[in-house]
Amino acid sequence: GHSPLVAAATPNRSYFWDMRSSGAPCLRLPLPGTRALCGAEGDPAALLAAAGSAVMVFDIRRLPADDPAHKKAPAPLARFDAPAGGSLECAASLGGTLVAGDRSGDLHIWCL
């Protein structure tokens, strides 16, 4: 099964901690500008990250260990770009729908 993770985003990367153990993060996502992280219903391995003008989908099983040597994010499985380059601030996966909001207050909706 999948272990429960806790995530936190910083300006240059996101960190993930395994809730069954304490201490240092176990994984990292070196993706600058990440503003929001969320999971996808029905797929516990999917991680959605809103960064810049896009929401990208990653396989959490392919994230690198928390090692400063990992400076590049793995290739996303999918990418959803906001029109006109909106700067995304939040994202949520609701059923088969991805919703993201940008700084201007606009909502962007994609069917997954």
Side-chain angles (χ1 to χ4, degrees):
H2 297 279
S3 62
L5 296 175
V6 173
T10 71
N12 293 317
R13 68 193 57 83
S14 299
Y15 295 100
F16 300 85
W17 290 265
D18 184 335
M19 289 180 55
R20 296 179 298 184
S21 62
S22 60
C26 59
L27 302 170
R28 73 168 46 199
L29 176 59
L31 184 63
T34 300
R35 302 293 291 185
L37 299 166
C38 67
E41 287 180 308
D43 188 351
L47 169 71
L48 288 80
S53 64
V55 176
M56 289 159 271
V57 181
F58 295 95
D59 184 335
I60 202 158
R61 298 168 297 192
R62 294 192 176 157
L63 294 184
D66 181 39
D67 181 342
H70 294 116
K71 303 217 182 277
K72 187 175 178 187
L77 301 174
R79 179 183 173 108
F80 301 90
D81 290 295
S87 182
L88 299 178
E89 295 290 316
C90 61
S93 171
L94 309 166
T97 305
L98 171 61
V99 179
D102 65 25
R103 287 186 182 170
S104 68
D106 291 334
L107 284 177
H108 307 282
I109 302 170
W110 298 271
C111 293
L112 299 176

